[in-house]
């Protein structure tokens, strides 16, 4: 009796019972391979720069993944973002840029929930991630998209002079990702056309933008600059009002000069006439009278300057703090881009972020660092030396000032400071106050009067006052020195 068999091409023949067993084994394996499905979100997950995010992933139907392998990776399977295997996290082979920044959330492991938490989101984290789950004989995977976005600094509005019969106003901001949308608005929230707009991407991948607008008198003098992150659907806005006195008009000093010239030419003509009529002696008497009048004016001007200097000296003595403090920088509060000297007396910005512990005290968005010392009473002062040509600011801040995400660099945000930004010296009020200084001082003296709630800034070079936040501005709580540094600047404490 012959046994029915199957042959294919030149391969060996298989008896019918063996073929049935082979087919049944393949079918069972196929059924086991479909035991679970790995599921992730269909829409991109949005994360904010400097903050943390969670990439969702789970099994369907629900089953325990506690004894399975859970692997999160990107382009290369072996070089993983995070690996859970044999009941614990494995770090040998983890991509270096994720060291200390990932965590598999295990609260839902028994229900097949295997999300990944990523700390301190960076721009390079953007892209695709694969969630891979494997049991002894079968596996599944899904692809997720991570979209990174960042909120930059609050817009800085400055006046750049007269143009085309109006005033040219500039709005600047940095630290945005992706490229933001910039809008000018009037008091009725209507959009205004900009004169020009420039957006550039820095070495760290973040965008900075500058836009200009011509403001005409009696038209849109109340305006605001709004910068919007279209991914997060969030925006930052600053407003300004251009007073009538800023607009170009006939200069009263030019009118006065014209009158003086007319009078002067009339006087010269009269002198010539008198010379002809009365002779050379009268002309000499007139010249002598002019010289005496000029000398009297010079003496009067010198007296005014001396009185002004005396008033300044008396003013400085009245506000001079009693205690000269030795301020040092607190490394636990320094932004990861800031590099502190070994003696903690100077700070500058690095090209790339440092791998620093993620703690609640540390600034993660603004390039800030606080002083170690804090004050709640008395009068204190310290001096800061400025180096480089970049952007910087110095002052004081509440100890409870916000450290995470975008913060307001003004008293409403708990900061009282002055600084050099985009070619102008300004007080960080709300809105910003432009200060009449043609150049940034090389050394700034910060004077804090806790009892009066007042902060004063003095040019330590010529001892001239720069700006004073009036009494009662600073609240009655612990106050610490505050420093803000951008690329190209270096701040050093003088003691």
């Amino acid at each position: 009796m012959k046994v029915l068999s199957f042959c294919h091409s030149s391969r060996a023949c298989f008896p019918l019972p063996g073929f049935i067993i082979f087919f049944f084994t393949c079918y069972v394996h196929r059924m086991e391979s479909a035991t679970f499905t790995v599921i992730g979100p269909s829409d991109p997950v949005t994360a904010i720069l400097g903050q943390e995010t969670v990439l969702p992933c789970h099994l369907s139907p629900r089953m325990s993944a506690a004894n399975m392998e859970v692997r999160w990776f990107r382009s290369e399977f072996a070089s993983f973002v995070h690996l859970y295997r044999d009941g614990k996290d494995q770090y040998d082979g983890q991509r270096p840029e994720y060291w200390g920044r990932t965590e598999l959330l295990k609260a839902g492991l028994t229900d097949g929930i295997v999300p990944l938490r990523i700390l301190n989101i960076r721009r390079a984290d953007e892209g695709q991630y694969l969630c891979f789950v494997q049991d002894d004989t079968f596996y599944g995977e899904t692809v997720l998209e991570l979209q990174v976005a960042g909120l930059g600094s609050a817009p800085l509005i400055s006046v750049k002079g007269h143009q085309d019969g109006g005033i040219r106003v500039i709005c600047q901001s940095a630290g945005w990702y992706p490229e933001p949308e910039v809008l000018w608005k009037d008091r009725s929230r209507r959009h205004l056309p900009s004169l020009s707009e420039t957006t550039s991407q820095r070495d760290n991948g973040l965008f900075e933008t500058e836009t200009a607008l011509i403001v005409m008198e009696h038209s849109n003098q109340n305006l605001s600059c709004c910068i919007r992150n279209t991914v997060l659907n969030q925006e930052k806005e600053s407003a300004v009002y251009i007073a009538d006195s800023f607009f170009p008009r006939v200069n009263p000093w030019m009118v006065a000069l014209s009158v003086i010239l007319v009078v002067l030419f009339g006087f010269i003509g009269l002198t010539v006439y008198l010379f002809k009529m009365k002779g050379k002696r009268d002309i000499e008497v007139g010249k002598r009278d002019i010289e005496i009048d000029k000398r009297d004016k010079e003496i009067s001007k010198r007296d005014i300057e001396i009185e002004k200097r005396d008033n300044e000296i008396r003013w400085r003595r009245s506000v001079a703090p009693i205690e000269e403090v030795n301020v040092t920088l607190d490394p636990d509060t320094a932004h990861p881009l800031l590099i502190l000297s070994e003696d903690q007396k100077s700070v500058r910005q690095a090209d790339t972020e440092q791998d620093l512990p993620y703690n609640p005290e540390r600034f993660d968005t603004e390039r800030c660092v606080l002083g170690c010392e804090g004050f709640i009473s008395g009068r204190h002062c310290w001096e800061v030396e400025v180096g480089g040509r970049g952007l910087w600011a110095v002052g004081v801040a509440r100890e409870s000032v916000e450290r995470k995400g975008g913060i307001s660099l003004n008293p409403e945000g708990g900061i009282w400071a002055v600084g050099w930004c985009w070619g102008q010296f300004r007080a960080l009020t709300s809105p910003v106050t432009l200060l009449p200084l043609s150049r940034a001082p090389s050394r700034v003296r910060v004077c804090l009067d806790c009892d009066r709630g007042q902060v004063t800034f003095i040019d330590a070079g010529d001892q001239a006052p720069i700006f004073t936040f009036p009494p009662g501005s600073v609240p009655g709580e612990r106050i610490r020195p505050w420093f803000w540094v951008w690329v190209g600047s270096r701040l050093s404490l003088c003691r």
Side-chain angles (χ1 to χ4, degrees):
M1 179 177 178
K2 293 184 178 180
V3 177
L4 186 61
S5 61
F6 291 83
C7 298
H8 184 269
S9 183
S10 61
R11 297 181 182 178
C13 299
F14 296 94
L16 179 60
F19 177 81
I20 294 174
I21 294 172
F22 175 77
F23 177 82
F24 181 76
T25 302
C26 292
Y27 178 78
V28 170
H29 180 71
R30 184 176 179 183
M31 290 295 291
E32 290 178 345
S33 298
T35 301
F36 63 80
T37 303
V38 182
I39 298 177
S42 57
D43 296 328
V45 177
T46 301
I48 300 177
L49 284 170
Q51 299 186 16
E52 65 177 54
T53 192
V54 174
L55 301 180
C57 182
H58 68 275
L59 304 182
S60 179
R62 291 189 176 185
M63 62 181 64
S64 176
N67 296 319
M68 297 184 184
E69 175 182 320
V70 180
R71 181 185 296 260
W72 284 89
F73 65 97
R74 299 192 69 174
S75 58
E76 298 180 10
F77 183 84
S79 180
F80 56 83
V81 175
H82 193 93
L83 175 61
Y84 172 85
R85 187 169 58 196
D86 299 330
K88 60 182 179 180
D89 297 314
Q90 309 286 339
Y91 296 101
D92 188 14
Q94 185 182 30
R95 294 174 62 152
E97 63 267 32
Y98 291 96
W99 288 350
R101 296 176 52 227
T102 62
E103 178 188 4
L104 184 72
L105 301 181
K106 304 179 181 63
L109 267 178
T110 55
D111 293 325
I113 302 174
V114 290
L116 178 69
R117 174 187 288 162
I118 304 178
L119 304 176
N120 191 19
I121 290 295
R122 304 171 182 174
R123 192 186 64 85
D125 295 337
E126 189 171 61
Q128 288 188 342
Y129 289 75
L130 283 85
C131 176
F132 173 90
V133 183
Q134 181 177 10
D135 204 346
D136 294 334
T137 58
F138 42 84
Y139 68 88
E141 65 182 14
T142 187
V143 179
L144 296 80
E145 182 79 19
L146 177 61
Q147 191 172 31
V148 175
L151 287 174
S153 60
L156 294 176
I157 302 177
S158 56
V159 176
K160 289 297 183 180
H162 298 144
Q163 182 176 337
D164 300 334
I167 294 177
R168 188 168 184 262
V169 182
I170 300 292
C171 176
Q172 297 163 313
S173 182
W176 294 85
Y177 187 82
E179 183 175 342
E181 179 184 58
V182 183
L183 296 172
W184 288 99
K185 300 179 181 179
D186 61 13
R187 64 190 306 172
S188 301
R189 311 302 294 171
R190 292 174 299 193
H191 294 175
L192 302 174
S194 60
L195 176 67
S196 63
E197 184 176 323
T198 303
T199 302
S200 59
Q201 194 169 18
R202 302 296 298 270
D203 294 339
N204 59 4
L206 304 184
F207 289 88
E208 62 180 28
T209 181
E210 177 179 309
T211 180
L213 178 73
I214 300 297
V215 181
M216 307 304 293
E217 189 173 10
H218 307 309
S219 174
N220 304 323
Q221 291 179 226
N222 260 314
L223 70 153
S224 62
C225 177
C226 176
I227 303 183
R228 183 179 187 83
N229 187 306
T230 55
V231 174
L232 298 175
N233 198 26
Q234 297 183 33
E235 62 186 33
K236 290 190 175 182
E237 185 174 3
S238 295
V240 68
Y241 173 74
I242 308 298
D244 293 340
S245 58
F246 283 92
F247 288 91
R249 52 174 50 87
V250 177
N251 194 325
W253 290 105
M254 295 299 295
V255 175
L257 179 60
S258 300
V259 174
I260 291 173
L261 289 176
V262 171
V263 173
L264 180 59
F265 283 121
F267 177 76
I268 292 174
L270 179 61
T271 302
V272 172
Y273 175 78
L274 293 175
F275 174 78
K276 292 180 180 180
M277 296 298 295
K278 297 184 178 180
K280 185 177 180 179
R281 181 180 177 183
D282 292 338
I283 295 176
E284 292 177 352
V285 171
K287 286 183 178 181
R288 189 162 55 250
D289 291 341
I290 293 175
E291 291 177 356
I292 292 172
D293 183 60
K294 182 179 179 181
R295 188 161 52 248
D296 290 342
K297 290 181 179 179
E298 290 177 352
I299 293 172
S300 177
K301 182 179 179 181
R302 188 163 55 248
D303 291 341
I304 293 173
E305 291 177 351
I306 292 172
E307 183 180 359
K308 180 179 179 181
R309 190 181 304 113
D310 291 341
N311 290 335
E312 288 181 356
I313 292 173
R314 286 193 296 270
W315 178 85
R316 287 196 299 271
R317 289 174 178 172
S318 66
V319 300
I322 296 175
E323 181 185 2
E324 293 274 353
V325 292
N326 182 19
V327 174
T328 55
L329 303 175
D330 185 355
D332 291 337
T333 65
H335 187 278
L337 273 173
L338 299 185
I339 296 179
L340 274 59
S341 61
E342 291 185 3
D343 60 359
Q344 298 176 206
K345 300 294 287 185
S346 65
V347 58
R348 63 181 178 86
Q349 180 173 322
D351 295 329
T352 57
E353 286 193 2
Q354 306 169 84
D355 188 10
L356 298 176
Y358 185 83
N359 55 54
E361 295 83 8
R362 191 177 307 284
F363 290 93
D364 66 355
T365 301
E366 293 293 344
R367 278 63 163 173
C368 303
V369 60
L370 296 178
C372 293
E373 296 71 23
F375 313 101
I376 58 175
S377 63
R379 295 189 291 176
H380 315 273
C381 66
W382 56 92
E383 291 187 5
V384 183
E385 185 174 348
V386 181
R389 298 185 177 182
L391 285 63
W392 57 268
V394 297
V396 298
R398 296 182 307 195
E399 188 167 52
S400 60
V401 66
E402 184 63 40
R403 315 290 174 87
K404 307 301 181 185
I407 60 177
S408 299
L409 304 183
N410 52 40
E412 285 75 9
I415 294 171
W416 296 262
V418 297
W420 183 262
C421 187
W422 309 113
Q424 287 187 321
F425 200 56
R426 57 189 69 194
L428 303 188
T429 56
S430 180
V432 169
T433 300
L434 302 181
L435 301 177
L437 297 178
S438 59
R439 60 175 180 83
S442 60
R443 202 162 76 251
V444 177
R445 185 179 180 88
V446 184
C447 302
L448 171 64
D449 189 335
C450 296
D451 300 330
R452 299 185 65 193
Q454 175 176 305
V455 185
T456 300
F457 300 90
I458 298 173
D459 187 337
D462 57 13
Q463 298 300 310
I466 297 175
F467 186 79
T468 297
F469 286 90
S473 300
V474 183
E477 62 177 272
R478 188 176 177 86
I479 302 298
R480 295 172 66 177
W482 175 86
F483 308 87
W484 179 84
V485 184
W486 204 260
V487 176
S489 286
R490 182 186 186 94
L491 299 178
S492 301
L493 290 154
C494 296
R495 286 188 58 187

